[in-house]
Structure formats: C-alpha cells, structure tokens
C-alpha cells in the first residue's frame, strides 16, 4: 500500500524567499505524480503533473522534480508571495487509478 | 482540463439521516472518483465509479454506507447514509478528463457537518 510523507508539515516564511517542499512515497511503481494546492475550505487545484519518465516540470515560479527510484519529489517555489499561502499536497498515481495523498505542507507567506 | 461542480457546497445534517452529493462534469469521462477529507487530515479515496458498472470501494468503505450512482458519463452521486458525527468531512469528486497522462481534476468539495 502506497504511503506518502510530506515534510515539513508546516512552514511560515517572509515573502520573497525560495522554498522547497518535500514528498516521499514508499511504492516507486508509479505512473505519475501530481502536486496540488488547497486553499482553506476549497477544493484542489492541480499545479504540476510529472510523468514517471520525466525528471521535472516547471510552471511559472514552480518547479517540481521526481526521483522515482528513490521515491522522492520536491516542489520548489521561487520568490514566494503572500498569495502562495495554502496547503500543498503531493499525490503519486498509478495511472487510471485514484491518487494517494500525503498530509500536506501548510504554507504561510508573511507579507 | 475539466470543470467540475458539486451540490450542495455545504450542509449541516442530523445524525441518522442521509445526504446525497451530486457531481457534474462539463465533459464525458469514463472514471470518476470520490474522496473524503476528514478535519485536519488528507484526502482518502472512497471509491471509483465507472459508468455502466458497480463502483469499486477502497478498504474501509462499504456500499451500504456510501452508495454511489453513475447514470451517465458526466454525472455521479455519492450518498452518505445513516450519518454520525464521524462522517463530518469534506467530500470531493474528481475525474480524468482524458487518457494519459491521467492528470486528475477535482471539484470544489461538499463540506458536511453532522450534529
């Protein structure tokens, strides 16, 4: 059974800093991995999807890397802004299956 | 991508009653998923709903408690039956709007409080 761990559980930093959020998973036989953002009381917004054959994906100030063999992914946020405050969730996927989620990193960017 | 709506957005229900949550997608999709997010916890998959077949439930979830319907390729319902306070959660549906690479999109969720 896939288990997902996200570190740190919470993070509070002043705006402008570059951040790294970590995700590890126990079963490396994944098809892809998605990073999501969840705002309080809201649904999930897909940020990045990395296929198992890829090493990284970039979207704007976000960069996600994947080391499938070691069961690790990182989400890098450059030049953080107060609007980046949210919970970030990592979810490795088996393809056409449901996702397994970590507990997330609760991020606060101080103005 | 896909645009997904859920109804209701939130509800407060009495214990022992049932609530049906609707999920509508703006395009035809083969598979729909239902998740639960208990307070302070991450998302847990409840079941996978394919059109034209019985839903497949994850360990710890049973059809009598969480019956699911999937009448067509754009719609599904999840019923939370005989509710108790432990069922207070956010319930979310999700879809893959196309095949590979199987990027999953989520609805806004239904916040359920059972008193």
């Amino acid at each position: 059974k896939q288990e997902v761990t996200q570190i740190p559980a919470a993070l509070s930093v002043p705006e402008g800093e570059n951040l790294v959020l970590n995700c590890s998973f126990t079963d490396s036989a994944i098809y892809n991995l998605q990073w999501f953002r969840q705002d309080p009381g809201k649904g999930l917004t897909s940020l990045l999807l990395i296929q198992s054959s890829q090493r990284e994906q970039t979207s704007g100030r976000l960069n996600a890397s994947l080391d499938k063999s070691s069961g690790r992914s990182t989400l890098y946020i450059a030049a953080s802004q107060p609007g980046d405050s949210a919970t970030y969730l990592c979810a490795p996927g088996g393809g056409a299956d449901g996702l397994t989620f970590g507990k997330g990193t609760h991020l606060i960017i101080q103005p | 991508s896909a645009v997904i709506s859920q109804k209701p957005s939130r509800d407060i229900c009495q214990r022992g009653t049932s609530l049906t949550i609707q999920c509508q997608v703006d395009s035809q999709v083969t598979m729909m998923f239902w998740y639960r997010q208990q307070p302070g916890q991450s998302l847990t998959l409840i079941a996978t709903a394919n059109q034209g077949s019985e839903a497949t439930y994850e360990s710890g979830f049973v059809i009598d408690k969480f019956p699911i319907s999937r009448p067509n390729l754009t719609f599904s319902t999840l019923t939370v039956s005989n509710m108790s306070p432990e069922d207070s959660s956010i319930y979310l549906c999700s879809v893959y709007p196309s095949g590979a690479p199987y990027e999953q999109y989520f609805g806004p969720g239904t916040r359920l409080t059972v008193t």
Side-chain angles (χ1 to χ4, degrees):
Chain A
K1 176 185 174 184
Q2 182 75 276
E3 294 183 2
V4 182
T5 302
Q6 290 189 244
I7 295 173
L11 185 62
S12 180
V13 300
E15 69 176 307
E17 289 200 6
N18 300 324
L19 308 171
V20 176
L21 309 183
N22 296 291
C23 170
S24 61
F25 46 94
T26 55
D27 185 354
S28 62
I30 63 171
Y31 186 87
N32 58 27
L33 185 143
Q34 274 185 269
W35 281 93
F36 294 89
R37 166 186 175 139
Q38 186 175 31
D39 293 282
K42 302 289 181 64
L44 275 65
T45 300
S46 180
L47 297 173
L48 288 164
L49 176 141
I50 310 176
Q51 297 184 64
S52 62
S53 58
Q54 298 175 320
R55 298 285 292 181
E56 64 179 67
Q57 279 284 351
T58 298
S59 176
R61 294 181 295 106
L62 305 179
N63 175 275
S65 66
L66 174 64
D67 186 342
K68 180 182 169 183
S69 61
S70 68
R72 298 187 180 195
S73 178
T74 61
L75 179 67
Y76 177 83
I77 303 176
S80 59
Q81 303 172 356
D84 295 330
S85 298
T87 296
Y88 290 79
L89 297 166
C90 161
D97 298 324
L99 297 172
T100 303
F101 284 84
K103 291 187 175 181
T105 294
H106 181 58
L107 177 63
I108 296 175
I109 306 299
Q110 306 155 11
Chain B
S1 64
V3 178
I4 305 168
S5 60
Q6 287 185 232
K7 291 181 181 180
S9 59
R10 59 178 60 220
D11 207 341
I12 301 173
C13 300
Q14 301 265 357
R15 68 174 66 206
T17 63
S18 298
L19 176 72
T20 296
I21 301 167
Q22 300 178 6
C23 178
Q24 179 77 51
V25 189
D26 68 340
S27 59
Q28 294 185 339
V29 294
T30 303
M31 300 173 73
M32 298 179 77
F33 303 89
W34 287 97
Y35 291 82
R36 179 177 73 180
Q37 185 175 31
Q38 294 178 301
Q41 301 298 312
S42 193
L43 283 78
T44 301
L45 180 65
I46 298 172
T48 302
N50 290 336
Q51 195 270 334
S53 63
E54 294 290 325
T56 303
Y57 289 82
E58 297 299 306
S59 176
F61 297 96
V62 295
I63 187 172
D64 290 345
K65 176 67 175 178
F66 297 101
I68 289 172
S69 76
R70 184 77 202 276
N72 58 52
L73 291 173
T74 63
F75 187 79
S76 178
T77 67
L78 169 75
T79 299
V80 186
S81 303
N82 189 24
M83 289 184 285
S84 66
E86 292 70 35
D87 294 319
S88 297
S89 299
I90 299 174
Y91 292 86
L92 301 102
C93 66
S94 71
V95 303
Y96 295 111
S98 60
Y102 302 109
E103 185 168 7
Q104 197 163 142
Y105 293 88
F106 282 77
T110 295
R111 181 180 292 272
L112 171 61
T113 302
V114 183
T115 61

